[in-house]
Amino acid sequence: MKSDVKQETLALNGDEAVAYAVKQSDVDVVAAYPITPQTIMVEKFSEYVANGEVETEFVCTESEHSAMAASISASATGARAFTATASAGLALMHEMLFVASGCRTPVVMAVANRALSAPLNIHGDHSDTMAERDSGWVQIYVENAQEAYDSVIQAFRIAEHTSVLLPVLVGLDGFTLSHTLENVTALSDADVKEFIGERKLINVLTHEGKSVPFKLDPDNPMTMGPIALQNYYFEFKRQQEEGMKNALALIRQVHDEYAKLSGRSYGNGLVEKYQLDDAEIAVVCVGSTAGTMKTVVDELRAEGVKAGLLKLRTFRPFPVEEIQNALGKVHAVGIMDKSMSFGGNGGAVFHEVRHALYDLAERPLVVDYIYGLGGRDYNPKEFKKIFNELRQIAHSKRVHKLVNFTGLRE
Amino acid sequence: MATTQEWKITAKDIAEKPDILMPGHRACAGCGPAHALRLVMKAIRGPTIVTEATGCMEVVTSIYPYTSWAVPWLHTAFETSAANASGIEAALKVLKRKGKLKQEHVDVIAIAGDGGTFDIGFQALSGAVERGHDFLFVLYDNEAYMNTGIQRSGGTPMGAATTTTPAGSVMPGKLQHKKPIADIMVAHGMEYVASASPYYWKDLLQKVRRGLEVEGPAFLHLFAPCPRGWRTDPAKTINYSKLAVESCVFPVYEVVNGKYTLSTPSKLIALAPQKKKPVADYLKGQGRYRHLFAPQNKHMLDEIQRWTDERWAKLQQKVEQTA
Amino acid sequence: MSSKDKGWKEIAPAGVSPKSSIGFMTGDWKTYMPVRDLEKCTTCLMCVLYCPEGAVRWRPEMGKIEFDYSFCKGCGICANECPTKAITMKLPEKEDE
Ligand SMILES: Cc1ncc(C[n+]2csc(CCOP(=O)(O)OP(=O)(O)O)c2C)c(N)n1
Ligand code: SF4
Ligand code: SF4
């Protein structure tokens, strides 16, 4: 794909790429609290503030809980709000994540994915965000710093769209992406600003009987975040689900528009298919692992093995149809899970992908591979072994072990 | 302080102001917090946004589809009142800078009960004050978690029976004294900290106004009797707010840039100590203290009196020392 | 839940309240109601200031106060605080049987 606009190539790590995207996104309020491996994002952004490079009001809160509360309230006041965190910080925000989605405040958050305690571990896995998959946030996972940059910009468009009005989380793997320098091609400030546009507000009917923009405005008072009991709570939850449904189409649309502008695309924005058209065996993975996995698929293809890869970019809303279309014809599928659902017979990605395939008349055999917890390294050799197992499963049409641990000492 | 002129108010002025906290809320009959907040909202000086912590006042004023708030109002959680205020204020600031705010200025008021202030909301409050956001924090202190059924808080006074400090055969209600929240806020180096009690309505209204006029964080500690949680006669709510001041259980004062001043009702007692009522006058009649009047609990009454005297003496010292 | 409650497509998102509580009468909570002796009332307005409900209204144009019984919860604060004891709490007179 080609781009007609002027772009600049910068050497940035994932955190810096996020901070740079936020700088260009005309964000009004950033409220955040530092935690490894997200720290570079807040530090970098603080520099922008200190040097007058942004107009943003930066609120360096005393906790992530308050960071999320302040992001929600800033957003409720009509501002564009951003925050960033990881691991324990996200866990501390847990309560407020549901408030953000329930209040329909389109906050954008970057998460430098990291393991959860205990034992304490600062390295990358997906335990933090997978634990929040039911919090009503759109979840997008990226493969590299470039995609982190591109996705944060897209996230504002998605979150603030009046048909969605939901908070969006962009997950990038801790250290692997957050701290690794890459060449990142960036759009101009003006192009980003134009792409995102001003925040548009829906109109709501208030107790004064007026239809007014949805924000805390003394000229048009409204009550936000009230108590709703048995008679109404359910209806509000159903509305959120509609926002998620609309996000499914919108993420693709925003992705395509952005691709036209920048020349960069990530599958269709929801999933990215790699060598899947005639694949007999395939793996599904989330985040930076896709990069390694692509080289493994290439090697296998060179050997004549019909291997493929499905990169799950959008995890919420879950792209059921895309998954069915991509994997329906495959014989055996291995799911790469970088988090555990203790006692749940497999990880989150496994559960959901397998669930998505259930309705197909003909469906592949699906096995789970839990790997990389707490930043445990993995290598192409291990991944090749996984493909080998998948070949056996496809051939024998039998699964011996549904849930496997890869790279674990017995 | 930004105050240029004393806000002169009469009962008529206040009576003629519309209720910003509107009728039809579901607080219990005789609710002190509802009354106190109704007064607070009579003192606003212009465009205002209110944010409130989970608790009785949030619940009784916002049961969907009804709202009792005539100004923009936001609730997010129990511990977030001050954090919400931070975000609102930051948003207002930047929107103004960008020319996207219609109003010249918008006041931000954060409201919380004692649970949302002394306990779970304290970290957010301390952080927001340290960061210097321009907002008024209003603590309505009904001295327990009422919304969840009268459990103890860091603001519950010694001896009070709550559902988590019931008066039993070996424990005579809460064993600890109340946390000195106003002093703690003063220690933050805030420009304005004050305490007020609703019987002295004019004093209360003026303090709200002064708190709003401060350019930065201000803290107002409101005494707010809860007939349901205190097991008191609803008709006596205002009466107790007077007795608390007269017995020096809840002195009313202001701390402006670290300088303590007694407000008139308490100053009159300092000037004529014989007017100071025994704490028993205030405690008796409150169901939550009934057990203290049993002979075996006399030591508790004595301790409450001793502690009250000590705090009152210390307060007067601070007034002198900072004069 | 009642059938007159609105469906999810009809209500504003995020729980933005569509009604003011002025439409929610709390007056039927009370047992006793405040009754004022006009002769004793000096319109000092303490009842207006101390009522937690805003159920005592000052009518400057008429120079008098009025109870709004549709919100009064019968707490008795106004009667208790009235300096001239012009307000008494009474059981409402029974309607004709
Ligand atoms: C995180 C969290 N913990 C506990 C609760 C339950 N809860 C709701 S209100 C409340 C007590 C509120 O007490 P206070 O702040 O004193 O206000 P009051 O109800 O007395 O007016 C509690 C414990 C909650 N909502 N959120
Ligand atoms: S329990 Fe107490 S604070 Fe809560 S509404 Fe009733 S009287 Fe007011
Ligand atoms: S009885 Fe209570 S609620 Fe009724 S008017 Fe008097 S103070 Fe108000």
Side-chain angles (χ1 to χ4, degrees):
Chain A
M1 222 181 294
K2 254 187 47 217
S3 159
D4 299 328
V5 296
K6 203 167 159 267
Q7 301 194 55
E8 188 184 5
T9 300
L10 308 159
L12 302 173
N13 62 36
D15 277 3
E16 289 168 339
V18 168
Y20 196 76
V22 176
K23 177 190 172 202
Q24 293 184 306
S25 298
D26 193 23
V27 175
D28 297 310
V29 175
V30 171
Y33 190 86
I35 180 169
T36 307
Q38 156 267 31
T39 38
I40 305 167
M41 292 183 206
V42 274
E43 288 166 1
K44 198 72 210 163
F45 200 78
S46 303
E47 279 175 36
Y48 295 144
V49 175
N51 296 326
E53 292 177 63
V54 286
E55 278 195 276
T56 314
E57 201 50 40
F58 177 51
V59 187
C60 197
T61 54
E62 82 300 329
S63 78
E64 286 89 351
H65 196 284
S66 289
M68 185 47 70
S71 303
I72 294 167
S73 57
S75 182
T77 312
R80 176 171 292 157
F82 175 85
T83 186
T85 190
S87 181
L90 188 66
L92 189 58
M93 284 179 181
H94 176 73
E95 178 192 23
M96 302 314 291
L97 298 180
F98 289 76
V99 178
S101 56
C103 281
R104 308 304 292 270
T105 43
V107 176
V108 171
M109 167 165 66
V111 178
N113 283 108
R114 163 184 156 181
L116 284 171
S117 284
L120 191 130
N121 178 296
I122 58 164
H123 294 282
D125 73 27
H126 294 156
S127 312
D128 50 5
T129 46
M130 285 301 164
E132 306 299 349
R133 63 189 187 278
D134 293 337
S135 62
W137 283 62
V138 170
Q139 290 200 357
I140 292 170
Y141 292 85
V142 304
E143 186 180 329
N144 47 43
Q146 179 69 62
E147 191 177 356
Y149 167 84
D150 294 332
S151 300
V152 166
I153 292 168
Q154 293 171 29
F156 288 105
R157 273 278 299 271
I158 298 160
E160 292 173 8
H161 195 276
T162 52
S163 76
V164 173
L165 217 57
L166 288 172
V168 177
L169 167 168
V170 176
L172 59 152
D173 286 313
F175 290 102
T176 319
L177 298 185
S178 67
H179 284 57
T180 309
L181 214 59
E182 280 179 39
N183 277 337
V184 173
T185 307
L187 292 163
S188 70
D189 292 0
D191 282 335
V192 174
K193 202 167 170 184
E194 200 195 313
F195 179 79
I196 301 178
E198 294 250 322
R199 184 176 163 194
K200 285 183 205 68
L201 302 169
I202 56 159
N203 270 23
V204 293
L205 196 68
T206 68
H207 62 272
E208 291 189 334
K210 293 196 280 185
S211 177
V212 300
F214 176 51
K215 66 168 174 180
L216 298 169
D217 173 6
D219 283 0
N220 296 305
M222 72 181 66
T223 290
M224 283 191 203
I227 173 169
L229 299 169
Q230 298 93 318
N231 56 347
Y232 274 107
Y233 178 87
F234 203 174
E235 276 68 26
F236 292 117
K237 296 299 116 180
R238 177 62 184 83
Q239 287 183 336
Q240 281 175 243
E241 185 59 10
E242 195 66 6
M244 276 287 177
K245 219 173 88 189
N246 296 340
L248 213 48
L250 192 78
I251 292 167
R252 290 185 65 161
Q253 186 195 318
V254 170
H255 167 270
D256 291 352
E257 248 181 74
Y258 187 86
K260 249 200 208 131
L261 174 71
S262 68
R264 292 182 293 277
S265 65
Y266 305 97
N268 68 356
L270 299 171
V271 299
E272 182 180 343
K273 294 192 276 189
Y274 191 76
Q275 300 282 17
L276 266 181
D277 287 346
D278 62 341
E280 288 166 0
I281 54 172
V283 297
V284 176
C285 68
V286 170
S288 61
T289 309
T292 319
M293 207 57 99
K294 281 174 189 168
T295 53
V296 173
V297 168
D298 289 345
E299 278 173 36
L300 290 169
R301 283 277 167 176
E303 292 165 21
V305 182
K306 288 191 169 162
L309 161 73
L310 183 72
K311 172 179 134 184
L312 208 49
R313 179 172 184 257
T314 302
F315 190 74
R316 279 288 179 276
F318 198 69
V320 172
E321 236 174 81
E322 274 72 16
I323 286 169
Q324 290 176 338
N325 292 341
L327 300 176
K329 298 267 170 347
V330 179
H331 302 317
V333 176
I335 310 292
M336 304 304 295
D337 257 306
K338 229 192 239 193
S339 73
M340 287 238 219
S341 170
F342 299 103
N345 201 25
V349 185
F350 174 64
H351 292 153
E352 306 224 359
V353 173
R354 203 158 173 246
H355 162 240
L357 297 171
Y358 185 83
D359 285 332
L360 297 178
E362 252 182 279
R363 52 182 180 251
L365 292 164
V366 187
V367 284
D368 195 14
Y369 294 93
I370 291 169
Y371 76 113
L373 296 197
R376 173 65 48 90
D377 39 335
Y378 40 84
N379 53 46
K381 233 165 90 192
E382 267 165 0
F383 290 169
K384 259 191 157 162
K385 246 168 67 190
I386 289 172
F387 277 107
N388 268 338
E389 278 176 32
L390 292 174
R391 278 170 84 180
Q392 280 163 26
I393 291 168
H395 182 72
S396 67
K397 298 195 170 57
R398 281 182 58 182
V399 173
H400 290 292
K401 212 165 156 213
L402 198 63
V403 181
N404 306 273
F405 297 96
T406 300
L408 175 81
R409 293 183 303 278
E410 286 301 327
Chain B
M1 223 171 99
T3 320
T4 41
Q5 254 186 338
E6 194 58 78
W7 183 38
K8 296 245 175 5
I9 28 167
T10 63
K12 278 205 174 64
D13 297 339
I14 299 307
E16 281 168 20
K17 278 181 186 287
D19 275 318
I20 302 298
L21 178 55
M22 298 182 283
H25 60 72
R26 319 252 188 123
C28 308
C31 173
H35 170 253
L37 293 184
R38 185 181 158 238
L39 280 187
V40 167
M41 296 316 294
K42 292 255 189 189
I44 62 172
R45 55 173 184 164
T48 306
I49 295 176
V50 171
T51 181
E52 204 169 2
T54 313
C56 269
M57 287 306 101
E58 169 261 330
V59 167
V60 303
T61 59
S62 78
I63 302 180
Y64 191 87
Y66 297 98
T67 177
S68 304
W69 293 94
V71 291
W73 180 95
L74 172 73
H75 160 260
T76 64
F78 186 14
E79 60 277 54
T80 47
S81 191
N84 290 344
S86 310
I88 294 168
E89 188 251 15
L92 291 170
K93 232 158 122 182
V94 59
L95 292 176
K96 180 165 183 201
R97 215 162 44 222
K98 290 183 172 179
K100 293 184 190 171
L101 191 69
K102 283 178 284 177
Q103 298 81 5
E104 187 46 39
H105 177 81
V106 178
D107 282 325
V108 181
I109 301 179
I111 300 171
D114 45 297
T117 306
F118 290 73
D119 296 345
I120 201 164
F122 184 71
Q123 175 180 315
L125 168 61
S126 181
V129 168
E130 182 269 332
R131 290 191 299 272
H133 295 283
D134 183 10
F135 74 115
L136 170 65
F137 191 97
V138 175
L139 151 63
Y140 68 88
D141 189 1
N142 55 11
E143 304 196 317
Y145 303 161
M146 298 311 176
N147 185 47
T148 37
I150 326 171
Q151 294 88 17
R152 95 193 274 287
S153 78
T156 303
M158 176 183 271
T162 69
T163 53
T164 49
T165 57
S169 54
V170 295
M171 284 212 224
K174 192 186 169 193
L175 298 177
Q176 302 80 14
H177 285 297
K178 191 181 178 85
K179 202 194 261 192
I181 191 73
D183 287 340
I184 296 169
M185 296 324 294
V186 171
H188 281 70
M190 306 175 67
E191 191 171 323
Y192 190 78
V193 175
S195 65
S197 195
Y199 175 79
Y200 308 98
W201 57 271
K202 197 183 274 189
D203 181 60
L204 186 154
L205 288 159
Q206 278 168 337
K207 284 168 176 170
V208 174
R209 191 46 86 78
R210 278 179 218 140
L212 289 172
E213 280 165 357
V214 167
E215 284 170 25
F219 182 83
L220 187 56
H221 185 180
L222 296 184
F223 191 74
C226 160
R228 178 160 151 58
W230 296 9
R231 288 168 220 130
T232 48
D233 177 355
K236 297 281 169 62
T237 292
I238 300 299
N239 208 33
Y240 281 111
S241 79
K242 181 166 177 254
L243 275 168
V245 175
E246 289 173 336
S247 59
C248 298
V249 163
F250 193 89
V252 282
Y253 57 97
E254 275 179 315
V255 191
V256 181
N257 287 318
K259 182 177 157 16
Y260 282 72
T261 342
L262 292 177
S263 308
T264 310
S266 287
K267 197 189 285 167
L268 292 176
I269 298 169
L271 293 172
Q274 72 279 6
K275 282 194 183 151
K276 177 166 169 280
K277 293 194 170 157
V279 290
D281 284 14
Y282 162 73
L283 302 175
K284 72 177 184 240
Q286 298 190 40
R288 60 174 175 161
Y289 294 123
R290 194 183 358 243
H291 56 286
L292 298 185
F293 292 88
Q296 71 273 21
N297 286 331
K298 185 170 179 304
H299 67 284
M300 289 291 286
L301 276 184
D302 293 346
E303 170 57 18
I304 294 169
Q305 184 66 62
R306 187 201 64 74
W307 190 76
T308 305
D309 294 346
E310 182 184 292
R311 298 236 353 121
W312 172 236
K314 273 193 193 154
L315 177 62
Q316 288 173 278
Q317 272 172 21
K318 281 183 205 155
V319 172
E320 275 168 35
Q321 284 162 1
T322 60
Chain C
M1 201 176 80
S2 79
S3 56
K4 68 181 193 322
D5 288 329
K6 291 195 164 144
W8 67 270
K9 290 178 188 163
E10 300 165 290
I11 53 178
V16 171
S17 316
K19 291 181 187 171
S20 145
S21 65
I22 289 176
F24 190 86
M25 309 296 171
T26 51
D28 56 355
W29 294 18
K30 66 176 149 310
T31 311
Y32 293 92
M33 61 193 279
V35 179
R36 195 172 44 121
D37 180 344
L38 275 175
E39 307 237 310
K40 289 189 189 163
C41 175
T42 62
T43 61
C44 72
L45 304 183
M46 287 309 111
C47 51
V48 181
L49 293 190
Y50 288 138
C51 172
E53 314 303 326
V56 198
R57 303 271 164 74
W58 165 234
R59 298 257 175 257
E61 68 285 0
M62 298 187 277
K64 61 175 200 171
I65 60 147
E66 255 175 28
F67 290 108
D68 188 341
Y69 291 114
S70 44
F71 294 109
C72 166
K73 294 172 184 166
C75 69
I77 288 179
C78 52
N80 203 60
E81 297 305 324
C82 176
T84 61
K85 297 283 162 242
I87 303 170
T88 37
M89 300 302 290
K90 296 208 169 122
L91 274 177
E93 281 177 23
K94 284 228 176 76
E95 289 181 15
D96 290 346
E97 268 146 56

